[in-house]
Amino acid sequence: QVQLVESGGGLVQAGGSLRVSCAASGRALSTYFIGWFCQAPGKEREFVAGTSWSGRTTNYADSVKGRFTISRDNAKNTVYLQMNSLKPEDTAVYYCAAALVHGTRLPGDFGSWGQGTQVTVSS
């Protein structure tokens, strides 16, 4: 079982940057693939980016490629999502989640979820 806690959300103007963090705890963390998802009001939860703890497997949604970067600090058991060139349509609650299927983008494959952090981008 993995416990995940997000932090770092907030309000930013369009074109600005924000970094959100996901602190993980639990056993055998290295076996998990960590994903970031976003969910806007009235919409389904969508995959944003994911990474293995080794960094060998990373992937991004097409909508964020070139703007968002996922990284991790293994010593701190923390995964980051650096978000640049933010757009109003990036406004959502951002969740991190853990899966045993590496490279997956399917929410159903992720068995552990954090509580989410709100990111609001003003125009």
Side-chain angles (χ1 to χ4, degrees):
Q1 191 75 9
V2 179
Q3 292 77 45
L4 303 167
V5 179
E6 303 94 335
S7 61
L11 174 65
V12 64
Q13 288 189 331
S17 298
L18 203 62
R19 188 180 77 165
V20 290
S21 303
C22 173
S25 60
R27 300 179 63 181
L29 290 179
S30 63
T31 62
Y32 290 91
F33 181 78
I34 304 298
W36 281 99
F37 290 78
C38 67
Q39 187 168 22
K43 294 189 176 181
E44 294 186 352
R45 199 165 292 189
E46 297 180 346
F47 176 82
V48 176
T51 184
S52 60
W53 285 102
S54 68
R56 283 195 292 268
T57 304
T58 60
N59 49 14
Y60 295 90
D62 288 344
S63 60
V64 305
K65 281 181 181 177
R67 299 190 300 125
F68 292 9
T69 302
I70 192 169
S71 62
R72 72 261 175 260
D73 184 332
N74 293 56
K76 295 182 179 180
N77 291 337
T78 300
V79 175
Y80 304 99
L81 184 68
Q82 177 68 43
M83 302 181 288
N84 299 329
S85 301
L86 281 161
K87 306 174 182 179
E89 50 264 43
D90 294 319
T91 295
V93 177
Y94 283 74
Y95 298 90
C96 65
L100 292 173
V101 180
H102 284 228
T104 183
R105 300 171 182 237
L106 300 175
D109 285 339
F110 290 80
S112 299
W113 293 81
Q115 83 288 350
T117 186
Q118 176 71 47
V119 172
T120 302
V121 184
S122 63
S123 57

Short mmCIF file of all heavy atoms in Angstrom, two decimals, residues 4-9 20-24 35-37 45 79 93-97 112-118:
data_model
loop_
_atom_site.label_atom_id
_atom_site.label_comp_id
_atom_site.label_asym_id
_atom_site.label_seq_id
_atom_site.Cartn_x
_atom_site.Cartn_y
_atom_site.Cartn_z
N LEU A 4 -0.01 8.74 -0.58
CA LEU A 4 0.43 9.85 -1.42
C LEU A 4 -0.18 11.15 -0.92
O LEU A 4 -1.37 11.21 -0.60
CB LEU A 4 -0.02 9.61 -2.86
CG LEU A 4 0.46 8.30 -3.50
CD1 LEU A 4 -0.30 8.04 -4.79
CD2 LEU A 4 1.94 8.34 -3.76
N VAL A 5 0.65 12.20 -0.85
CA VAL A 5 0.18 13.50 -0.41
C VAL A 5 0.67 14.56 -1.39
O VAL A 5 1.89 14.74 -1.55
CB VAL A 5 0.67 13.82 1.01
CG1 VAL A 5 0.19 15.21 1.43
CG2 VAL A 5 0.19 12.77 2.00
N GLU A 6 -0.27 15.26 -2.01
CA GLU A 6 0.08 16.33 -2.95
C GLU A 6 0.20 17.67 -2.22
O GLU A 6 -0.44 17.89 -1.20
CB GLU A 6 -0.97 16.47 -4.06
CG GLU A 6 -1.23 15.23 -4.89
CD GLU A 6 -2.39 14.42 -4.36
OE1 GLU A 6 -2.69 14.53 -3.15
OE2 GLU A 6 -3.00 13.67 -5.15
N SER A 7 0.99 18.54 -2.81
CA SER A 7 1.10 19.90 -2.30
C SER A 7 1.58 20.81 -3.43
O SER A 7 2.01 20.32 -4.48
CB SER A 7 2.08 19.98 -1.12
OG SER A 7 3.37 19.58 -1.52
N GLY A 8 1.46 22.11 -3.21
CA GLY A 8 2.03 23.07 -4.15
C GLY A 8 1.06 23.71 -5.11
O GLY A 8 1.47 24.52 -5.95
N GLY A 9 -0.22 23.38 -5.05
CA GLY A 9 -1.17 24.02 -5.93
C GLY A 9 -1.38 25.48 -5.56
O GLY A 9 -0.86 25.96 -4.55
N VAL A 20 3.93 21.29 -8.57
CA VAL A 20 3.22 20.52 -7.56
C VAL A 20 4.06 19.31 -7.19
O VAL A 20 4.84 18.81 -8.01
CB VAL A 20 1.81 20.11 -8.03
CG1 VAL A 20 0.90 21.33 -8.11
CG2 VAL A 20 1.84 19.38 -9.37
N SER A 21 3.91 18.88 -5.95
CA SER A 21 4.71 17.78 -5.41
C SER A 21 3.81 16.65 -4.94
O SER A 21 2.67 16.88 -4.52
CB SER A 21 5.55 18.27 -4.23
OG SER A 21 6.37 19.35 -4.61
N CYS A 22 4.37 15.44 -4.99
CA CYS A 22 3.67 14.26 -4.51
C CYS A 22 4.63 13.48 -3.62
O CYS A 22 5.59 12.89 -4.12
CB CYS A 22 3.23 13.40 -5.69
SG CYS A 22 2.52 11.80 -5.25
N ALA A 23 4.38 13.51 -2.32
CA ALA A 23 5.22 12.78 -1.37
C ALA A 23 4.63 11.40 -1.16
O ALA A 23 3.45 11.27 -0.82
CB ALA A 23 5.29 13.55 -0.05
N ALA A 24 5.47 10.39 -1.35
CA ALA A 24 5.01 9.00 -1.25
C ALA A 24 5.61 8.33 -0.03
O ALA A 24 6.75 8.61 0.36
CB ALA A 24 5.41 8.24 -2.51
N GLY A 35 1.75 8.46 -11.39
CA GLY A 35 1.11 9.27 -12.41
C GLY A 35 0.49 10.52 -11.82
O GLY A 35 0.11 10.55 -10.64
N TRP A 36 0.41 11.55 -12.64
CA TRP A 36 -0.34 12.75 -12.31
C TRP A 36 -1.58 12.79 -13.20
O TRP A 36 -1.49 12.56 -14.42
CB TRP A 36 0.49 14.01 -12.55
CG TRP A 36 1.49 14.33 -11.49
CD1 TRP A 36 2.82 14.06 -11.49
CD2 TRP A 36 1.22 14.99 -10.25
NE1 TRP A 36 3.40 14.51 -10.33
CE2 TRP A 36 2.44 15.09 -9.55
CE3 TRP A 36 0.07 15.52 -9.65
CZ2 TRP A 36 2.55 15.69 -8.30
CZ3 TRP A 36 0.19 16.12 -8.41
CH2 TRP A 36 1.40 16.20 -7.74
N PHE A 37 -2.70 13.11 -12.58
CA PHE A 37 -3.97 13.26 -13.28
C PHE A 37 -4.55 14.62 -12.95
O PHE A 37 -4.22 15.22 -11.93
CB PHE A 37 -4.96 12.17 -12.85
CG PHE A 37 -4.61 10.79 -13.33
CD1 PHE A 37 -3.63 10.04 -12.69
CD2 PHE A 37 -5.27 10.23 -14.41
CE1 PHE A 37 -3.30 8.78 -13.14
CE2 PHE A 37 -4.95 8.96 -14.86
CZ PHE A 37 -3.97 8.23 -14.22
N ARG A 45 -11.54 12.44 -14.92
CA ARG A 45 -10.14 12.54 -14.55
C ARG A 45 -9.28 12.14 -15.75
O ARG A 45 -9.51 11.11 -16.38
CB ARG A 45 -9.87 11.62 -13.36
CG ARG A 45 -8.64 11.92 -12.60
CD ARG A 45 -8.65 11.21 -11.25
NE ARG A 45 -9.68 11.75 -10.36
CZ ARG A 45 -9.77 11.42 -9.07
NH1 ARG A 45 -8.92 10.56 -8.53
NH2 ARG A 45 -10.73 11.94 -8.33
N VAL A 79 7.70 12.95 -6.10
CA VAL A 79 7.58 13.16 -7.54
C VAL A 79 7.02 14.56 -7.77
O VAL A 79 6.07 14.97 -7.08
CB VAL A 79 6.66 12.10 -8.18
CG1 VAL A 79 6.44 12.41 -9.66
CG2 VAL A 79 7.27 10.70 -8.02
N VAL A 93 -8.22 20.12 -10.38
CA VAL A 93 -7.59 19.49 -9.22
C VAL A 93 -6.61 18.47 -9.77
O VAL A 93 -6.95 17.67 -10.64
CB VAL A 93 -8.63 18.81 -8.31
CG1 VAL A 93 -7.92 18.11 -7.15
CG2 VAL A 93 -9.63 19.83 -7.78
N TYR A 94 -5.38 18.54 -9.27
CA TYR A 94 -4.33 17.63 -9.72
C TYR A 94 -4.10 16.57 -8.65
O TYR A 94 -3.90 16.89 -7.48
CB TYR A 94 -3.05 18.41 -10.02
CG TYR A 94 -3.13 19.13 -11.35
CD1 TYR A 94 -3.91 20.27 -11.48
CD2 TYR A 94 -2.46 18.65 -12.48
CE1 TYR A 94 -4.02 20.92 -12.71
CE2 TYR A 94 -2.56 19.29 -13.70
CZ TYR A 94 -3.35 20.42 -13.81
OH TYR A 94 -3.46 21.05 -15.01
N TYR A 95 -4.14 15.32 -9.10
CA TYR A 95 -3.96 14.18 -8.22
C TYR A 95 -2.71 13.39 -8.63
O TYR A 95 -2.44 13.26 -9.83
CB TYR A 95 -5.14 13.22 -8.32
CG TYR A 95 -6.48 13.79 -7.92
CD1 TYR A 95 -7.30 14.42 -8.86
CD2 TYR A 95 -6.95 13.66 -6.61
CE1 TYR A 95 -8.54 14.93 -8.51
CE2 TYR A 95 -8.19 14.16 -6.25
CZ TYR A 95 -8.97 14.80 -7.20
OH TYR A 95 -10.20 15.30 -6.84
N CYS A 96 -2.01 12.84 -7.66
CA CYS A 96 -1.00 11.85 -8.00
C CYS A 96 -1.54 10.49 -7.57
O CYS A 96 -2.38 10.38 -6.68
CB CYS A 96 0.35 12.14 -7.39
SG CYS A 96 0.43 12.09 -5.59
N ALA A 97 -1.04 9.46 -8.25
CA ALA A 97 -1.54 8.12 -8.03
C ALA A 97 -0.44 7.12 -8.32
O ALA A 97 0.52 7.42 -9.02
CB ALA A 97 -2.75 7.85 -8.93
N SER A 112 -3.78 3.56 -5.70
CA SER A 112 -3.63 4.49 -4.58
C SER A 112 -3.65 5.91 -5.13
O SER A 112 -3.00 6.19 -6.14
CB SER A 112 -2.31 4.25 -3.85
OG SER A 112 -2.26 2.95 -3.31
N TRP A 113 -4.37 6.78 -4.44
CA TRP A 113 -4.54 8.16 -4.88
C TRP A 113 -4.31 9.12 -3.71
O TRP A 113 -4.65 8.81 -2.56
CB TRP A 113 -5.95 8.39 -5.41
CG TRP A 113 -6.25 7.65 -6.67
CD1 TRP A 113 -6.61 6.35 -6.80
CD2 TRP A 113 -6.18 8.18 -8.00
NE1 TRP A 113 -6.78 6.02 -8.12
CE2 TRP A 113 -6.52 7.13 -8.89
CE3 TRP A 113 -5.87 9.43 -8.54
CZ2 TRP A 113 -6.56 7.30 -10.28
CZ3 TRP A 113 -5.91 9.60 -9.92
CH2 TRP A 113 -6.25 8.54 -10.77
N GLY A 114 -3.79 10.29 -4.02
CA GLY A 114 -3.72 11.36 -3.04
C GLY A 114 -5.03 12.11 -2.98
O GLY A 114 -5.98 11.80 -3.70
N GLN A 115 -5.05 13.13 -2.14
CA GLN A 115 -6.29 13.89 -1.92
C GLN A 115 -6.48 14.99 -2.95
O GLN A 115 -7.57 15.55 -3.06
CB GLN A 115 -6.29 14.49 -0.51
CG GLN A 115 -5.53 15.81 -0.36
CD GLN A 115 -4.01 15.65 -0.42
OE1 GLN A 115 -3.49 14.53 -0.40
NE2 GLN A 115 -3.29 16.77 -0.48
N GLY A 116 -5.44 15.32 -3.70
CA GLY A 116 -5.53 16.32 -4.75
C GLY A 116 -5.11 17.70 -4.29
O GLY A 116 -5.17 18.02 -3.10
N THR A 117 -4.68 18.51 -5.24
CA THR A 117 -4.33 19.90 -4.97
C THR A 117 -4.88 20.76 -6.10
O THR A 117 -4.77 20.39 -7.28
CB THR A 117 -2.80 20.06 -4.80
OG1 THR A 117 -2.50 21.40 -4.40
CG2 THR A 117 -2.04 19.74 -6.08
N GLN A 118 -5.48 21.88 -5.74
CA GLN A 118 -6.15 22.73 -6.74
C GLN A 118 -5.14 23.62 -7.45
O GLN A 118 -4.32 24.29 -6.80
CB GLN A 118 -7.20 23.60 -6.06
CG GLN A 118 -7.90 24.59 -6.98
CD GLN A 118 -8.83 23.92 -7.97
OE1 GLN A 118 -9.62 23.05 -7.57
NE2 GLN A 118 -8.75 24.32 -9.23
#
